[in-house]
Amino acid sequence: MKKGLFYFASITFLFLAQESFAQELYMPRNIKKAYAKGTRSTDGKPGKNYWQNHGKYTMDIMVDPKTRLVSGTETIVYENNSKDSLKNLVVRFVNNLHKPSSPRGGSVSNDFLSEGLTITSLNIAGQAYKEDAKGWGTVGNVKLMKPIAPNSKTTITIDWNYPLSKESGREGQIDETTFFVAYSYPRVSVFDDYNGWDRLPHTDRQEFYNDFNDYSFSVKAPKNYVVYATGDFLNPDEVLQPEFSARLKKSYITDEILHIANEQELKSGVVTKQNDWNTWKFEAKNITDVCFGLSDHYLWDASSVIVDKKTNRRASVQAAYDVKGTDFVDSVKNNQFALSFFSHSWPGVPYPFSKMTAFQGFADMEYPMMCNDSQMGDPVFAQLVQDHEVAHTYFPFYMGINETRYAFMDEGWATTFEYLIGIAEHGKEAADKFYKEFRVTGYIKDPSAEEDQPIISMSTQVSGAGYGNNSYGKASLSYLALKDLLGDDLFKKSLHAYMDNWNGKHPIPWDYFNSMNTASGKNLNWFFNNWFFSNNYLDLSVKKVAKNVVTVANIGGFAIPFDMIVTYTDNTTETIHHTPAVWEANQKLATITVKSSKPIKKVALDGGIFMDASPLDNNWSVN
């Protein structure tokens, strides 16, 4: 075949193969339009017409601990990179969840409620708007006097304030002089290529969807308050006394765990500059959000760890916690291990940021470069929770996941990495035991319909039980099943391709499916259909053993790996592992020929962490 003709034939085959990948999986109409417009590509990469909007945020924020009032002056240079003229500006303020009138997924106490956001000044493109935000929920709409043209920028300035809630959730008051301030500024909501404006309200169950922005911000706090925040700390010498600034700087270049400020030093008022108010400055670029915590008595530990062995780049590892926070004594040590593991093992992508701070609060929640975790009185479980939150660095912060709609795209991966790092920390037996008890048992022992909703279901549309299992356990099992199917090397290669394709961008599930297909060189749509688009569950059964042929029925339907333990009549045993590939040809029945010629006495199936709904029929023996 001539070279040109061969090239044409190869490209045609690849195109047809990619088209079949896309067509085999159910795809909503709006997602189909994105592929048709060329903003998404069936090879799993962003399409030639892909775009996303961007903001450059400059903010001066002040926190008054006595009144719990947070106030800010904010300038946003917003880039509309779409082909649409934006006639409205959709503004998101998640903290309005605390307003009595806002919709919520559950009941709250009076201490959780607050008055919400007040805008005292709003100016867009040089024009003043009469908007106080009093009628807004977590999403507000501003009708623009002049539309924002395609491929143009506009400048938005906002002066605002709101009270922190007395009862802390993902943010709020931790104690009388400790606060975690997150989702703390009005932001332009996401305008994307498949939904347009993201107007879904935050109701406290689903999580977040944000653009990648650049931030330069300051936090004004009273003397003796230390501020911990997302981003690079720009002015330690201006707000810390020399000795403490020197300790912090030393922590950036050492593995040694340093106590930057201890209980007595904080009580004595010798840590910060003794101005009435200090202004702490931070900067973070190409990131989906920023947040901060502050306290006048939290202990402060710090060190660093190499996260990129090729360049010897280090990341700062810090912890801020109450003297009674026994779970946090080892936070820095644990995060040194976690950042190294995530960087060099799973997912095996160097930690992308300059810092990670563990802050003692109540949320057990991830934020860019920070986690807000509760004191549990169980250091082992506390380490696992911290590992899980730090793992979120990659999903949704390295990849801009739409968590509100597709929570399984981030929680499922964080659960998977939580399990894999658990093996490294505590051994496989302990990690398996915890994973089964915490992530699988409740789901597989509950036969109610909401447990078996398809994972692809929008996270806003599933019930409480369905949301939890679709987002965490079932999604994680799918990723671990695919790891078993492909083998570690090909799985990691494919995962890295997906992450490289969508780092700093907004992937949706079909981008994951197509990326894995292309990178692995396999049409895995049978697997994705099986796991994401079905009502399957976990349940195998030994249906028949005839001579040395074992027939296994997949009653639940999920394509799962399993061990088949064969006992022969001479009482010797053999464990034969089967990857999910055993279900590719027939997802309901697998006929397995045992290579040994010895007569079979017993057969047992063991799915390990893929716990069986009806384990009694997993065994067969000669009558």
Side-chain angles (χ1 to χ4, degrees):
M1 186 180 290
K2 291 182 179 179
K3 183 178 180 182
L5 185 60
F6 176 78
Y7 175 78
F8 175 78
S10 299
I11 293 298
T12 302
F13 173 78
L14 180 61
F15 175 78
L16 291 173
Q18 290 171 354
E19 282 296 297
S20 70
F21 286 174
Q23 290 172 2
E24 286 178 21
L25 300 176
Y26 160 76
M27 190 180 288
R29 287 172 286 171
N30 62 330
I31 305 298
K32 287 180 180 178
K33 285 182 179 179
Y35 280 91
K37 289 186 298 185
T39 56
R40 312 265 159 175
S41 172
T42 53
D43 63 2
K45 297 179 181 179
K48 62 181 181 179
N49 297 324
Y50 180 81
W51 56 267
Q52 62 192 49
N53 291 350
H54 178 270
K56 184 176 181 181
Y57 286 67
T58 303
M59 301 184 293
D60 295 314
I61 302 171
M62 178 177 176
V63 181
D64 187 337
K66 292 182 180 178
T67 63
R68 299 198 308 276
L69 191 72
V70 182
S71 54
T73 296
E74 176 178 351
T75 299
I76 309 167
V77 179
Y78 182 70
E79 297 179 29
N80 175 20
N81 296 315
S82 77
K83 294 182 179 180
D84 296 293
S85 291
L86 304 181
K87 298 178 181 180
N88 296 278
L89 188 72
V90 178
V91 181
R92 185 168 292 276
F93 188 70
V94 169
N95 236 286
N96 267 357
L97 177 74
H98 295 274
K99 289 180 68 171
S101 58
S102 289
R104 283 178 292 275
S107 60
V108 296
S109 74
N110 287 335
D111 283 345
F112 186 83
L113 300 176
S114 74
E115 296 176 1
L117 178 70
T118 298
I119 289 178
T120 56
S121 174
L122 174 63
N123 189 294
I124 303 172
Q127 295 180 298
Y129 284 71
K130 294 181 179 179
E131 176 61 73
D132 61 11
K134 290 295 187 181
W136 290 3
T138 57
V139 179
N141 187 80
V142 179
K143 180 71 175 176
L144 294 173
M145 299 178 191
K146 179 183 178 182
I148 305 173
N151 300 307
S152 70
K153 297 180 183 180
T154 195
T155 300
I156 306 157
T157 58
I158 316 174
D159 292 344
W160 49 265
N161 64 74
Y162 74 97
L164 285 167
S165 60
K166 187 174 181 180
E167 180 184 305
S168 178
R170 288 186 169 107
E171 31 61 40
Q173 179 174 299
I174 308 300
D175 61 39
E176 289 296 326
T177 58
T178 303
F179 308 88
F180 197 82
V181 187
Y183 324 117
S184 57
Y185 57 95
R187 64 183 304 143
V188 181
S189 194
V190 176
F191 184 81
D192 63 28
D193 65 308
Y194 62 97
N195 272 317
W197 283 115
D198 177 30
R199 297 179 182 271
L200 288 175
H202 176 67
T203 62
D204 203 29
R205 181 177 65 174
Q206 289 84 25
E207 295 182 4
F208 310 100
Y209 181 37
N210 298 317
D211 275 324
F212 285 87
N213 300 313
D214 297 334
Y215 292 90
S216 177
F217 65 104
S218 66
V219 179
K220 189 175 180 180
K223 67 181 178 182
N224 299 323
Y225 276 81
V226 176
V227 178
Y228 311 84
T230 301
D232 295 326
F233 182 16
L234 301 180
N235 65 331
D237 293 334
E238 293 179 15
V239 294
L240 293 172
Q241 297 287 3
E243 180 179 352
F244 300 92
S245 179
R247 290 180 192 175
L248 180 62
K249 291 174 184 176
K250 181 182 176 183
S251 75
Y252 295 159
I253 57 172
T254 182
D255 293 333
E256 180 187 357
I257 298 174
L258 304 178
H259 302 296
I260 308 302
N262 62 34
E263 181 184 12
Q264 187 55 48
E265 290 166 336
L266 290 155
K267 283 182 177 179
S268 301
V270 298
V271 176
T272 74
K273 293 292 180 69
Q274 292 302 290
N275 307 309
D276 288 341
W277 295 82
N278 290 310
T279 300
W280 302 65
K281 298 177 181 179
F282 303 90
E283 184 177 70
K285 293 184 178 180
N286 194 37
I287 202 163
T288 57
D289 201 1
V290 293
C291 66
F292 60 93
L294 66 157
S295 178
D296 67 352
H297 63 276
Y298 266 22
L299 310 186
W300 187 5
D301 296 344
S303 187
S304 64
V305 62
I306 292 174
V307 293
D308 189 338
K309 291 179 180 177
K310 291 182 179 178
T311 63
N312 284 326
R313 178 172 64 85
R314 285 181 171 268
S316 172
V317 183
Q318 302 183 35
Y321 57 99
D322 187 75
V323 67
K324 297 179 182 178
T326 53
D327 288 347
F328 291 82
V329 172
D330 289 325
S331 274
V332 169
K333 176 184 173 184
N334 291 341
N335 262 344
Q336 283 178 311
F337 183 86
L339 264 60
S340 180
F341 180 88
F342 294 141
S343 297
H344 302 120
S345 297
W346 291 104
V349 172
Y351 181 76
F353 303 130
S354 60
K355 179 168 61 177
M356 172 53 69
T357 301
F359 192 92
Q360 182 181 343
F362 298 113
D364 301 329
M365 183 67 194
E366 73 280 357
Y367 313 79
M369 302 194 212
M370 297 192 77
C371 55
N372 169 4
D373 289 341
S374 50
Q375 164 70 16
M376 301 175 183
D378 181 349
V380 174
F381 187 65
Q383 181 182 18
L384 178 134
V385 171
Q386 183 171 283
D387 288 345
H388 178 97
E389 309 313 342
V390 175
H392 274 298
T393 291
Y394 299 96
F395 305 87
F397 302 137
Y398 186 80
M399 329 254 301
I401 304 298
N402 187 338
E403 303 174 88
T404 313
R405 291 174 182 267
Y406 305 118
F408 61 86
M409 292 184 71
D410 78 301
E411 294 294 358
W413 283 110
T415 301
T416 298
F417 298 146
E418 158 207 307
Y419 168 67
L420 295 173
I421 195 174
I423 294 173
E425 290 166 341
H426 306 295
K428 191 172 186 304
E429 183 178 351
D432 283 3
K433 182 175 184 292
F434 180 86
Y435 187 93
K436 288 193 285 188
E437 290 177 354
F438 193 55
R439 299 300 189 188
V440 189
T441 299
Y443 148 59
I444 205 59
K445 289 188 176 180
D446 180 359
S448 58
E450 49 265 50
E451 299 286 16
D452 296 334
Q453 296 169 98
I455 297 175
I456 199 68
S457 304
M458 260 182 60
S459 301
T460 52
Q461 304 302 310
V462 291
S463 69
Y467 173 83
N469 289 313
N470 275 4
S471 303
Y472 293 81
K474 282 165 63 178
S476 174
L477 287 168
S478 83
Y479 301 138
L480 290 168
L482 187 57
K483 177 175 177 286
D484 190 89
L485 172 64
L486 296 179
D488 283 2
D489 290 345
L490 184 56
F491 178 75
K492 183 174 284 189
K493 174 196 168 193
S494 304
L495 175 59
H496 284 186
Y498 166 50
M499 296 177 74
D500 289 345
N501 288 344
W502 292 96
N503 172 27
K505 299 180 176 66
H506 292 309
I508 54 178
W510 292 266
D511 299 319
Y512 163 66
F513 303 143
N514 291 329
S515 287
M516 298 301 280
N517 279 338
T518 299
S520 69
K522 298 177 181 293
N523 187 340
L524 298 167
N525 281 351
W526 72 271
F527 179 88
F528 297 134
N529 260 320
N530 176 281
W531 271 97
F532 290 87
F533 297 86
S534 75
N535 300 94
N536 290 337
Y537 60 101
L538 311 170
D539 192 4
L540 302 182
S541 172
V542 181
K543 186 174 183 180
K544 183 172 66 174
V545 178
K547 296 185 178 179
N548 284 52
V549 177
V550 180
T551 303
V552 179
N554 193 345
I555 297 169
F558 271 145
I560 63 174
F562 62 94
D563 287 339
M564 189 170 74
I565 301 98
V566 180
T567 302
Y568 299 104
T569 53
D570 63 2
N571 289 323
T572 60
T573 62
E574 180 182 12
T575 299
I576 305 166
H577 182 72
H578 293 282
T579 79
V582 75
W583 305 111
E584 182 172 3
N586 184 337
Q587 294 178 29
K588 289 298 181 182
L589 213 61
T591 302
I592 301 166
T593 301
V594 178
K595 293 181 180 179
S596 174
S597 59
K598 294 188 290 186
I600 296 174
K601 180 180 177 182
K602 295 179 182 178
V603 173
L605 306 179
D606 183 3
I609 59 173
F610 296 84
M611 295 177 66
D612 203 284
S614 307
L616 293 179
D617 58 10
N618 287 16
N619 297 278
W620 173 92
S621 60
V622 175
N623 294 331

